[in-house]
Amino acid sequence: MLAMVLVVRHLLPLFHNINVPRGSFGWPLIGETFGFLRPHASTTLGLFLQNRVIRYGAVFTSHLFGEPTVVSCDKELSNFVLQNEERLFQCSYPAAIHGVLGDSSMLAVSGYRHHRLRNLFLSLVASARASPTYYAQVDRASLAVVSSWRGRRTVSFCDEARKFAFGVILKQVVGLSAEEPAAVDILENYLTFMKGLVSLPLRIPGTAYAKAVKAREKIACTLERVIQDRRERGSCDESVFLDGLLPSEGFSDKEKVGFVLDALLAGYETTSLLISMLAYFLGQSDKHIDQLKREHQSIRSSKGKDEFLNSEDYKKMEYTQNVINETLRCGNVVKFVHRKALKDVKFKDYVIPSGWKVLPILSAVHLDASLHVNPQQFQPCRWEGLKNQTASSKMLAAFGGGLRLCPGSELSKIEAAFFLHHLVLSYRWSIDGELDVPMAYPYVEFGRGLPIHIDPI
Ligand code: HEM
């Protein structure tokens, strides 16, 4: 009955002459969700969006995830939505995702609760970036993974990138090494968690979703033990996050565990995917690898043999930054974000009714030909000289925007840059880009795990 009332209330604007964007609602209840989620190469918008943009324009109405929705492939509307978080729009992930992420996840809370968790996150990221140990840790971990390939001709790159990103985030957030029993436990449950996050939300025992909710609880239990242990033993000098988090006042233990989980869950898969995408795009162009290699050779030549990379070296990686930006643009690690309208919002000549879902499509900004010449081509030089933060943030939406702009963006870029440093100085590699393309399910994955052929330099 309640569901019925909600459906009718949401659809009222259609009968009140409110000028909602054009579009279609699809089937009763399921709407057009299956079409929207149909897998496609992540370097494209996918047929569902392409067809509707042609038919209705860059902003259109649909019925997705059980709710009437305005989909935005329009760079101005998407930016407007992200910049008006908490005023006109609010982060609104489906209840099923809350079920897996937990109620105290940053993506599940809003207003004051979100504000204080976010500030804490930003201050811990700032401490990490100010600590020389952090850069040395990332450098050491990159070198360890890349040198472990000695004697091999092919590697399954996604596995290696995951191994690296998991090792780094675990050390940084909770101070654990990947081989410790608690870490092995977390990784095992994490994989179950990821599978469930994108599955049908059926809380029936045995389904991927139910297993994911359980896996999250198990990770939370392991983290509680790690936190307790750390309280008893004191600082471990290697985990900037946990050492900063434990003394912070005003946060319950549940919030602290939720916070650590957020950092692990949001930071692991995204960063490893970015690194795999780098290998994918660069592996199709010797020219870009050569230019990258020159930059890293020059940085290496200014350092002692066993000296670790530091923040100054990172600042010198200018071409690397262009390559990372271009990879984020072409690869589209996160395709869209979930929002809802808090009131009727007028934008241009249409209205987004209060309570409707709004999906800013981040990949549409990246593939917009009015912003990027030949958007289908991988051209790192298009970012040259674009130092101005505002200019580049309007052209690159990979980390979202506004009050929810990804707080881990710099950490993932540092990891990717240091990994590239060792990769380009140690190997030449090539891939057959036709064989394994990154697919958006909409979470992005390389179907074959991105096998690459490597030749030591
Ligand atoms: C290539 C790497 C990454 C990409 C593409 C990415 C992308 C994003 C995007 C698009 C959002 C916005 C979600 C929204 O507006 O609804 C976000 C939020 C977030 N990300 Fe990232 N992220 C990356 C890496 C990381 C890392 C390394 C961490 C942590 C160490 C992290 C932690 C978070 C957190 C906690 C939020 C929630 C922020 C909030 O709600 O205020 N991310 N990320």
Side-chain angles (χ1 to χ4, degrees):
M1 184 62 186
L2 178 65
M4 202 53 189
V5 172
L6 285 176
V7 169
V8 172
R9 189 170 61 83
H10 277 147
L11 298 186
L12 278 180
L14 296 180
F15 305 105
H16 278 104
N17 257 349
I18 290 185
N19 190 19
V20 297
R22 290 189 307 138
S24 57
F25 269 10
W27 296 91
L29 287 177
I30 51 169
E32 301 187 308
T33 312
F34 288 116
F36 179 75
L37 295 179
R38 194 167 303 137
H40 59 88
S42 80
T43 50
T44 68
L45 275 185
L47 277 182
F48 178 90
L49 292 179
Q50 278 161 9
N51 289 342
R52 276 155 187 79
V53 169
I54 292 170
R55 203 178 314 155
Y56 306 120
V59 179
F60 61 89
T61 294
S62 179
H63 199 275
L64 301 173
F65 306 99
E67 295 182 51
T69 305
V70 170
V71 179
S72 166
C73 292
D74 174 294
K75 57 181 189 297
E76 285 167 37
L77 176 59
S78 295
N79 189 42
F80 177 76
V81 173
L82 296 176
Q83 297 304 330
N84 280 290
E85 175 80 13
E86 304 280 357
R87 283 189 291 266
L88 304 175
F89 301 93
Q90 198 172 58
C91 189
S92 170
Y93 282 82
I97 292 192
H98 285 206
V100 194
L101 291 179
D103 294 336
S104 50
S105 161
M106 219 185 287
L107 284 179
V109 297
S110 53
Y112 178 64
R113 279 187 81 194
H114 170 251
H115 176 74
R116 54 204 275 281
L117 280 174
R118 184 175 171 85
N119 279 350
L120 177 63
F121 207 105
L122 290 171
S123 75
L124 294 182
V125 169
S127 315
R129 291 187 60 195
S131 141
T133 332
Y134 169 70
Y135 290 89
Q137 257 176 24
V138 179
D139 191 19
R140 203 183 301 128
S142 319
L143 183 61
V145 171
V146 171
S147 16
S148 73
W149 303 342
R150 216 165 283 144
R152 288 165 67 181
R153 295 307 305 272
T154 52
V155 289
S156 176
F157 197 86
C158 290
D159 286 345
E160 301 297 312
R162 282 204 190 101
K163 202 191 299 172
F164 164 70
F166 186 68
V168 170
I169 195 98
L170 208 65
K171 190 58 131 189
Q172 176 197 329
V173 176
V174 280
L176 289 176
S177 303
E179 55 288 345
E180 288 182 57
V184 175
D185 207 43
I186 292 174
L187 181 59
E188 200 181 300
N189 284 307
Y190 180 84
L191 298 175
T192 317
F193 167 89
M194 276 312 286
K195 277 190 205 140
L197 192 60
V198 289
S199 62
L200 267 185
L202 299 175
R203 270 210 198 221
I204 300 170
T207 57
Y209 181 76
K211 283 185 190 162
V213 175
K214 266 249 140 34
R216 185 203 172 272
E217 283 162 12
K218 284 190 192 157
I219 302 178
C221 281
T222 311
L223 288 176
E224 268 165 35
R225 280 203 306 277
V226 173
I227 289 179
Q228 196 49 41
D229 185 50
R230 190 61 44 77
R231 273 207 180 103
E232 285 159 15
R233 282 196 295 131
S235 156
C236 80
D237 251 10
E238 287 196 305
S239 153
V240 184
F241 267 51
L242 202 54
D243 290 342
L245 181 65
L246 287 184
S248 17
E249 289 176 7
F251 294 92
S252 65
D253 267 12
K254 194 174 163 223
E255 277 179 317
K256 287 181 183 172
V257 170
F259 183 91
V260 171
L261 258 171
D262 266 354
L264 282 179
L265 305 178
Y268 164 46
E269 193 74 14
T270 45
T271 306
S272 72
L273 196 56
L274 166 60
I275 296 171
S276 298
M277 295 266 195
L278 282 161
Y280 171 78
F281 288 113
L282 289 168
Q284 296 171 67
S285 156
D286 284 347
K287 187 178 87 179
H288 297 129
I289 295 186
D290 287 340
Q291 192 165 349
L292 203 58
K293 200 162 124 201
R294 281 197 292 279
E295 177 164 282
H296 287 277
Q297 273 169 337
S298 132
I299 292 170
R300 188 47 43 201
S301 64
S302 66
K303 302 193 71 71
K305 188 168 168 285
D306 295 322
E307 213 182 326
F308 287 119
L309 293 170
N310 56 34
S311 58
E312 289 308 309
D313 299 318
Y314 178 62
K315 282 188 204 140
K316 291 183 201 148
M317 299 181 181
E318 288 190 7
Y319 183 67
T320 309
Q321 289 293 340
N322 297 340
V323 170
I324 292 176
N325 280 350
E326 186 65 348
T327 300
L328 286 164
R329 186 188 73 77
C330 293
N332 298 303
V333 173
V334 178
K335 178 176 168 179
F336 64 96
V337 293
H338 291 260
R339 296 291 184 270
K340 73 169 177 211
L342 293 174
K343 47 179 96 159
D344 284 354
V345 180
K346 191 164 179 346
F347 189 81
K348 295 187 181 164
D349 53 354
Y350 45 76
V351 172
I352 302 171
S354 173
W356 278 33
K357 200 174 213 356
V358 185
L359 297 184
I361 307 290
L362 307 180
S363 51
V365 176
H366 299 158
L367 299 169
D368 186 327
S370 70
L371 283 176
H372 310 279
V373 181
N374 296 328
Q376 294 301 337
Q377 287 176 18
F378 181 80
Q379 291 173 350
C381 62
R382 68 170 88 236
W383 299 97
E384 232 155 65
L386 257 183
K387 289 279 167 287
N388 178 335
Q389 278 283 345
T390 356
S392 53
S393 71
K394 287 207 170 130
M395 300 169 82
L396 189 68
F399 295 109
L403 284 183
R404 300 256 173 192
L405 180 72
C406 174
S409 59
E410 255 332 284
L411 299 185
S412 60
K413 284 185 181 181
I414 295 169
E415 287 177 42
F418 282 20
F419 196 89
L420 271 186
H421 176 80
H422 293 290
L423 183 63
V424 292
L425 292 183
S426 313
Y427 296 100
R428 289 208 81 84
W429 76 98
S430 61
I431 58 149
D432 185 347
E434 302 280 302
L435 277 183
D436 204 4
V437 292
M439 295 291 289
Y441 288 94
Y443 70 94
V444 181
E445 203 172 63
F446 286 89
R448 297 167 173 235
L450 193 63
I452 63 168
H453 312 287
I454 48 171
D455 278 317
I457 293 174

